[in-house]
Amino acid sequence: NGLTFDPDGTLWLATDGGISAFDGKHWENFPMEQFCPEQRCSYGEAPITASDIDSAPDGTIWFIAQHQALYQYNKGKWTNYKNHTLFMHPYYQITGLCVSNDGIPWMVNSGMPQLVYVDGDNWVAPRWYYDSSGVIYDIQCAPDGAKWMGGVFAIFKYMPQN
């Protein structure tokens, strides 16, 4: 579903079963069950899966679960960031994740579409122009700070103001 390398060269994978890390010799697995609130590891009939993953320059790992929840792995600890109300509708799913050079996770949504990032405990939706030319499915953070988003009929660029 997604993969990334951390600064130490460890390969991290987002899979249907959870998160896995490979350091070149050994695998470490983090089953999805450990991320599920109140032991609920299904979404209707379907099991919850890890849908995208990225790493920050400091080695922090970020991943999306079932297109609805954001998690962070830092110094051996997992943190769940509560879902923003913009993504609570079942048609508004987080479809893409990237982490910028400053370590901030940015996400796009397939339903509106909407661009959001997490700043501490706050979810922020910056104002940006979108001409409704299709659904956005992925996002990449460029070294210059730009956020590139790709969708069905168009590619968009967002450049945050400093």
Side-chain angles (χ1 to χ4, degrees):
N1 298 337
L3 56 93
T4 190
F5 284 95
D6 70 19
D8 295 332
T10 298
L11 173 64
W12 291 83
L13 300 147
T15 72
D16 289 348
I19 302 297
S20 296
F22 181 64
D23 66 6
K25 293 183 181 182
H26 304 97
W27 285 96
E28 184 173 6
N29 296 306
F30 304 94
M32 229 31 243
E33 288 80 11
Q34 81 180 62
F35 307 109
C36 301
E38 303 169 6
Q39 306 304 318
R40 293 176 54 215
C41 280
S42 64
Y43 186 72
E45 295 291 318
I48 290 180
T49 63
S51 54
D52 204 355
I53 192 165
D54 202 2
S55 71
D58 68 358
T60 299
I61 301 297
W62 294 89
F63 86 93
I64 302 297
Q66 196 63 28
H67 304 288
Q68 295 289 328
L70 176 67
Y71 289 87
Q72 175 194 60
Y73 182 71
N74 190 7
K75 300 178 182 168
K77 180 183 173 197
W78 291 99
T79 303
N80 179 0
Y81 286 77
K82 300 246 188 275
N83 199 348
H84 192 278
T85 56
L86 292 171
F87 294 123
M88 295 308 282
H89 191 281
Y91 295 112
Y92 302 155
Q93 297 183 348
I94 303 168
T95 54
L97 165 72
C98 71
V99 180
S100 57
N101 288 338
D102 55 6
I104 294 176
W106 289 77
M107 291 150 286
V108 290
N109 168 313
S110 68
M112 293 173 157
Q114 182 67 50
L115 173 69
V116 299
Y117 65 92
V118 175
D119 185 10
D121 289 329
N122 299 314
W123 291 68
V124 180
R127 289 191 161 299
W128 68 291
Y129 173 73
Y130 170 69
D131 71 1
S132 66
S133 294
V135 176
I136 295 177
Y137 287 112
D138 202 6
I139 183 171
Q140 292 295 312
C141 295
D144 67 356
K147 310 305 176 265
W148 288 89
M149 297 158 278
V152 176
F153 299 112
I155 295 174
F156 303 94
K157 179 183 178 184
Y158 171 77
M159 180 60 87
Q161 302 298 316
N162 294 333

